[in-house]
Amino acid sequence: MTLVDLTRLVESGMPTYPGDPPVSVESHADFDTDGYRVSRLELGTHAGTHVDAPSHTEPDGRTLDTYAVEDLRFTARVVDCRVVGAGELVGRDAIPDGTADDVDFLVFRTGWEREWGTERMTDHPALAPETGQWCADHGISVGIDALSPDPTGGDGVPVHHAVLGSELLIVENLCGLEALPANREFDLLVMPLRVDADGAPARVVAEV
């Protein structure tokens, strides 16, 4: 078994979703002055690699702390949709037949992790509404190597509503997907900060 870290480093000035709070990691105490080290961390709940809880978009949705730790371990599979271009939508046909029989999490690999921090970051491919609805109908949570499974700056968030509205989870800003197996299942551990909120940064690790 190999553990593969799919998590962005949290650091000052890192890219964020447009309009979200900036990220700052600063010294609060240091060895020279205090004899120990403490850092002050300021960030939004959707910074870096993070989990969206239903309460992110659903007024009566569950908050993150209502999910037991057992709910954060998944059987996952990669959907390679790198042929989809900037600003285009990933259709339902990108998901192989029979997928719903084997997994409860799909990682959509758009290839957009390479655009992290560039001007093209917000032009990522996104899931078509029917693709998100299919995942919701089959009890499948969603991960993506981009800012969002919905178009950033688009008109509404139908994929969020479908998936989160079904009390499933969304994980955004994954990276390192080239290390994941292309045609078979793997275990996925999604471990967000334990906070009763609409989402939280998470350490996401695949067991392959």
Side-chain angles (χ1 to χ4, degrees):
M1 181 191 301
T2 300
L3 297 180
V4 179
D5 195 346
L6 308 178
T7 313
R8 292 281 179 190
L9 177 67
V10 176
E11 56 187 342
S12 293
M14 70 187 299
T16 59
Y17 192 89
D20 276 10
V23 176
S24 173
V25 183
E26 298 181 350
S27 176
H28 174 75
D30 59 41
F31 287 108
D32 290 341
T33 303
D34 306 287
Y36 60 91
R37 182 179 177 186
V38 173
S39 297
R40 180 172 53 250
L41 180 63
E42 296 183 9
L43 75 172
T45 50
H46 299 266
T49 304
H50 67 275
V51 181
D52 289 353
S55 60
H56 178 43
T57 59
E58 310 308 301
D60 297 320
R62 294 172 62 183
T63 53
L64 194 56
D65 194 47
T66 65
Y67 288 83
V69 69
E70 293 84 3
D71 299 328
L72 303 172
R73 182 175 190 136
F74 301 91
T75 300
R77 186 170 184 144
V78 174
V79 177
D80 192 339
C81 42
R82 287 175 290 173
V83 297
V84 180
E88 296 180 349
L89 299 179
V90 178
R92 159 66 185 88
D93 57 354
I95 303 173
D97 292 338
T99 296
D101 300 330
D102 303 318
V103 305
D104 53 9
F105 196 104
L106 288 178
V107 176
F108 288 87
R109 185 182 182 190
T110 69
W112 229 250
E113 67 173 275
R114 67 180 182 274
E115 303 296 346
W116 179 253
T118 73
E119 293 181 354
R120 283 166 49 88
M121 185 173 70
T122 57
D123 296 329
H124 59 87
L127 306 189
E130 59 269 22
T131 307
Q133 188 61 57
W134 184 92
C135 292
D137 292 343
H138 290 84
I140 295 175
S141 294
V142 168
I144 194 166
D145 58 347
L147 286 171
S148 172
D150 285 298
T152 294
D155 184 16
V157 287
V159 175
H160 279 77
H161 287 310
V163 176
L164 300 182
S166 297
E167 298 193 340
L168 302 166
L169 298 173
I170 293 174
V171 180
E172 297 167 338
N173 295 324
L174 293 167
C175 62
L177 303 190
E178 69 280 355
L180 298 180
N183 298 305
R184 61 183 176 86
E185 291 74 45
F186 55 91
D187 288 340
L188 188 71
L189 305 177
V190 178
M191 294 297 164
L193 294 174
R194 189 174 183 184
V195 56
D196 194 27
D198 48 88
R203 195 71 178 258
V204 181
V205 178
E207 295 180 342
V208 300

